């Protein structure tokens, strides 16, 4: 096991430690709340390449009330981005999975054996509601495993209703769910409570992966702020498993 990060000095990004694989972003134009144009996608991918990311796995939302994305829609958009980057002369390893909101549609997809887009290792990136907790989250995550997938819970530090129930984080981890931290959470990007939860999860060693969750270029421009976090620099993230 080794640290996913190392110090890299660049004039444009002093002390930025993030090098490797990003596994959570929203870079396919016009299909969710991420980028809306190919030009915007290209600018973000170029910036990620500049920051040192060698592989990008973008993960559009699948949330049936808002974003009815199918594998066909996502993969078609991926082809468009790849072709645009190639046309611009940018050589980058770009792939796609999805971020699945746990709702009734998601449960039906699992039951019906529908095709889903996964991260390497048959990992399925899932997210919970932000405001209202599900009554049976542990059971639903276990159901993901029963259907042959490894659940990865996106940004657990952002579910504020869990901040006073930290034993639930450990329960998710102990039952086999991998947890993915948003890099910007440690900077206060999402508020002080989220920052504290992120630091607690790191100190407890409950986090497996880290992602940008980049929706816009400003998120990438803010990544330099994470260079001051010793917790991030020294934490043994396992993003290398996604290479």
């Amino acid at each position: 096991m080794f640290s996913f990060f190392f110090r890299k000095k660049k004039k444009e990004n002093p002390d930025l430690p993030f090098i490797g694989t990003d596994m959570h972003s929203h870079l396919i134009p016009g299909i969710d709340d991420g980028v809306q144009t190919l030009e915007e996608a290209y600018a973000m991918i170029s910036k990620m390449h500049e920051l040192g990311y060698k592989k990008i796995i973008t993960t559009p939302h699948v949330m049936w009330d808002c974003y009815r994305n199918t594998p066909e829609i996502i993969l078609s958009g991926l082809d468009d981005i790849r072709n645009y980057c190639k046309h611009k002369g940018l050589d980058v390893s770009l792939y796609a999975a999805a971020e699945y909101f746990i709702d009734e549609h998601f449960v039906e997809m699992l039951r019906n054996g529908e095709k889903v887009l996964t991260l390497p290792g048959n990992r399925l990136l899932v997210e919970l509601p932000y405001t209202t907790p599900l009554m049976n989250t542990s059971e639903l995550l276990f159901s993901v495993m029963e259907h042959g997938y490894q659940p990865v819970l996106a940004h657990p530090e952002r579910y504020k209703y869990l901040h006073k129930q930290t034993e639930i984080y450990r329960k998710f981890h102990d039952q086999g769910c991998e947890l993915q931290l948003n890099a910007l959470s440690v900077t206060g990007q999402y508020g002080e409570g989220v920052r504290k939860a992120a630091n607690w999860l790191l100190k407890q060693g409950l986090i497996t992966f880290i992602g940008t969750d980049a929706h816009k270029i400003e998120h990438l421009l803010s990544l330099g702020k994470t260079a001051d976090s010793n917790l991030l620099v020294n934490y043994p993230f396992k993003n290398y498993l996604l290479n």
Side-chain angles (χ1 to χ4, degrees):
M1 185 178 294
F2 57 88
S3 175
F4 178 57
F5 301 107
F6 63 87
R7 293 273 181 185
K8 183 175 181 179
K9 298 240 179 222
K10 273 187 168 185
K11 289 183 179 178
E12 66 271 24
N13 298 294
D15 295 321
L16 187 68
F18 298 94
I19 304 295
T21 298
D22 185 55
M23 44 74 74
H24 187 173
S25 63
H26 299 268
L27 303 177
I28 295 180
I31 67 172
D32 66 2
D33 59 344
V35 304
Q36 297 302 308
T37 67
L38 281 170
E39 291 79 7
E40 187 182 359
Y42 173 75
M44 290 183 66
I45 294 165
S46 296
K47 185 62 179 178
M48 294 177 80
H49 189 259
E50 176 187 317
L51 292 174
Y53 288 100
K54 306 301 182 185
K55 180 179 181 180
I56 300 168
I57 308 172
T58 193
T59 51
H61 287 291
V62 177
M63 184 184 297
W64 220 239
D65 284 347
C66 302
Y67 310 114
R68 297 194 171 193
N69 290 316
T70 63
E72 292 74 23
I73 290 172
I74 293 170
L75 295 178
S76 176
L78 176 65
D79 285 340
D80 290 341
I81 304 175
R82 282 175 167 172
N83 290 334
Y84 194 85
C85 288
K86 183 178 180 180
H87 173 72
K88 289 286 190 176
L90 178 61
D91 183 17
V92 62
S93 295
L94 182 63
Y95 301 87
E99 181 182 12
Y100 290 93
F101 184 75
I102 297 182
D103 54 15
E104 291 182 5
H105 175 74
F106 174 75
V107 173
E108 285 300 312
M109 287 177 63
L110 287 182
R111 287 175 180 167
N112 296 334
E114 295 182 34
K115 180 181 178 181
V116 293
L117 295 179
T118 58
L119 298 162
N122 215 30
R123 292 176 167 90
L124 200 58
L125 184 66
V126 297
E127 68 171 334
L128 303 177
Y130 280 107
T131 56
T132 305
L134 299 175
M135 297 299 294
N136 56 342
T137 303
S138 291
E139 290 79 4
L140 290 169
L141 293 173
F142 184 73
S143 177
V144 171
M145 289 185 274
E146 284 188 316
H147 285 86
Y149 301 103
Q150 169 62 55
V152 179
L153 181 59
H155 40 65
E157 73 280 2
R158 295 188 63 190
Y159 308 121
K160 294 183 180 180
Y161 49 81
L162 296 180
H163 291 178
K164 294 184 178 180
Q165 305 179 64
T166 54
E167 71 281 357
I168 296 180
Y169 290 130
R170 194 174 301 280
K171 181 178 180 180
F172 293 163
H173 175 272
D174 291 348
Q175 77 177 42
C177 180
E178 296 173 325
L179 306 182
Q180 174 257 308
L181 184 83
N182 278 8
L184 292 181
S185 290
V186 301
T187 71
Q189 172 80 21
Y190 311 105
E192 181 63 12
V194 172
R195 187 191 67 79
K196 289 180 178 179
N199 287 342
W200 184 88
L201 286 162
L202 290 166
K203 289 176 181 177
Q204 296 298 314
L206 298 179
I207 296 296
T208 305
F209 302 113
I210 190 165
T212 63
D213 196 8
H215 286 64
K216 53 187 178 180
I217 194 71
E218 287 79 9
H219 291 159
L220 299 178
L221 297 176
S222 297
L223 280 180
K225 298 177 183 178
T226 62
D228 293 328
S229 173
N230 289 327
L231 279 173
L232 292 189
V233 173
N234 297 316
Y235 192 90
F237 294 103
K238 296 183 179 179
N239 288 53
Y240 61 86
L241 296 176
L242 307 175
N243 292 339

